[in-house]
Each structure stands twice: as C-alpha cells, then as structure tokens.
Amino acid sequence: MDKEAGKKQAALEAVKYVERGMTLGLGTGSTAARFVEALAPLIAAGYALRGVPTSEATRRQAAVIGVEIIEPDETTVIDLAVDGTDEADPNLNLIKGGGAALLREKIVASAAKTFIVIADKSKRVAALGAFPLPVEIEPFGWALTVQAMRDTIAAAGLDASKLELRHREGAAVKSDGGHLIIDCALSRIEDPASLDTALKAIPGVIETGLFCGVADMVIYGDETGVSIDKP
Ligand code: 5RP
C-alpha cells in the first residue's frame, strides 16, 4: 500500500468537515501535516480559520498557510480537532504519541466538539499494542516512576520488561512541555481503558498515549479512497 497516498486521501476527506469560521485543533505528525496542507485552498477561498496547534512544528506550518493561531482561553470552543494516530482499533481506541506530542494532543482532542482521526490503512489493528505505548512522565525522579509503571503493567498481566526511555541522537527526547517519554512494548493490550486509568494513577505519569472514548471517527485512506470507522 502507498502510505503517503493513504494519508493524503484521509486528510482530504477530513477537510470536508471544516466550515467557515471554525476553530480547529491541529494535530502533530506527517498525516496531520497533510490535513494542515489541505486547509490552504480553503483559506485561499476566504475561509477564516483559527487553530490550536498541538506542537511547535504544527504551529509553524499552520501559521505559514494563514491559519490564525490562538492561545485558548476559558471561552474557546474547538469545533473540530483532526490528528493522526499510531494505531487504532475497531472500537476507536488509539495509541498516539509517536511524535512525543501526546499530552497536548489529548488536551486538544478531548476539548474538541468533534475529534476526527486520519490515518493510512496500515494503522488499523484488531487490538492495540504492537506499537510501543508512549507514556509522558515528569523528569524529576523519572526512574522511580518507571519502577511504578513496571509494577502496574505487570499487575495488568502484561510484559513489563520492555520499557525504554526514548532517546534521539544520544539524548533523552523531551516533549514540547519538557517531559520525558517512556515507550512500553506491550504486544497486545486487551483492556486499554483500564490500563490508561491505572498508569495515570502513578505520581509522575503525566499522560499516556492511550486515547479511549475520545475519537468520533477514524478515516482510513489508501490509494483507492477512504473507509470510515464510527462508534
Ligand atoms: C504524534 C502523534 C502522531 O499523530 C502519530 O505519531 C502518527 O504520526 P504519523 O502521522 O507521522 O504517522 O501521535 O505524537
């Protein structure tokens, strides 16, 4: 399958849900970037669009094409958020965070009136877990937090031996918020909502990449078109 064609097809389908004057939550990653690109013709056609980006990279991309970047306040209504995913199951549970933006992505997706996920078809899985679950944690005492995560993961009946601090070019990766990312290779997660709840009860865990009950639809693309999963 041509994954790039799939990302583009999914992004073009999601753009059909954008209306004039909307405030958009803008995701992070290569698929979300296809969606931001696809907004350019709407802006050229006179749509006034405001955006809440989930990363500095997305902020820069959206600003260049003319999306008005806003800092949300307590009156902000995000009409529609669109983002990519690392995995999605048929119940619309997701693993996100491959781009280390999971905390901001979950804040924005959860606040949005509608959250649409876009992906190439390779991201659809029967059960989550082949993609290592990213968990965003506080740098202070991070190794203690990892110990507690191992206990929680083992108590859930999952393999707790493959938790790794994410590195790039010899340095620990930090999210835009300055947090560390632990990638947890768990193979198969039977009950993602319970695991999310259990991990978030650990002091030091800021957010997990499990998005359960957040997505309103997942649009999958390939070179022939799109298919849509809804609840
Ligand atoms: C970033 C994310 C991305 O949406 C996810 O990693 C998918 O990225 P891509 O579209 O590049 O495959 O969660 O934190």
Side-chain angles (χ1 to χ4, degrees):
M1 191 195 68
D2 180 346
K3 290 187 184 177
E4 293 310 311
K7 292 176 191 183
K8 193 164 179 190
Q9 291 276 7
L12 291 174
E13 185 67 22
V15 161
K16 295 178 185 168
Y17 294 83
V18 176
E19 295 172 13
R20 287 177 189 275
M22 272 188 164
T23 297
L24 300 172
L26 301 172
T28 293
S30 59
T31 316
R34 297 292 83 75
F35 175 74
V36 175
E37 269 167 30
L39 295 174
L42 301 190
I43 289 167
Y47 280 47
L49 297 174
R50 308 194 316 159
V52 180
T54 54
S55 63
E56 297 310 315
T58 300
R59 176 188 300 274
R60 285 191 292 274
Q61 186 197 4
V64 165
I65 64 157
V67 175
E68 181 194 347
I69 304 299
I70 63 161
E71 219 40 76
D73 63 25
E74 288 180 32
T75 66
T76 300
V77 176
I78 299 176
D79 300 293
L80 171 67
V82 177
D83 202 349
T85 193
D86 296 299
E87 283 185 345
D89 75 12
N91 297 318
L92 313 192
N93 297 307
L94 315 174
I95 286 183
K96 286 183 48 55
L102 59 112
L103 173 61
R104 294 185 182 191
E105 290 171 338
K106 204 184 272 192
I107 291 170
V108 169
S110 301
K113 282 163 56 180
T114 303
F115 176 39
I116 296 179
V117 179
I118 53 177
D120 69 75
K121 276 201 180 125
S122 71
K123 303 286 183 74
R124 194 176 195 279
V125 295
L128 301 179
F131 188 92
L133 172 66
V135 178
E136 187 159 345
I137 70 168
E138 159 64 31
F140 174 82
W142 71 271
L144 301 175
T145 302
V146 172
Q147 283 180 29
M149 287 171 59
R150 285 191 202 283
D151 291 345
T152 296
I153 286 168
L158 294 162
D159 179 3
S161 68
K162 299 191 194 86
L163 274 57
E164 282 186 10
L165 179 64
R166 191 181 295 180
H167 283 86
R168 192 182 306 124
E169 291 162 8
V173 169
K174 289 211 169 167
S175 67
D176 284 341
H179 307 128
L180 301 173
I181 305 291
I182 308 297
D183 291 308
C184 310
L186 303 176
S187 297
R188 188 180 172 94
I189 304 171
E190 298 292 349
D191 186 351
S194 297
L195 183 63
D196 182 44
T197 303
L199 286 170
K200 284 201 300 203
I202 300 169
V205 169
I206 293 166
E207 193 48 88
T208 87
L210 289 165
F211 286 48
C212 304
V214 186
D216 293 294
M217 74 171 78
V218 183
I219 302 174
Y220 296 100
D222 65 13
E223 52 282 88
T224 63
V226 298
S227 60
I228 298 179
D229 278 354
K230 286 186 185 175

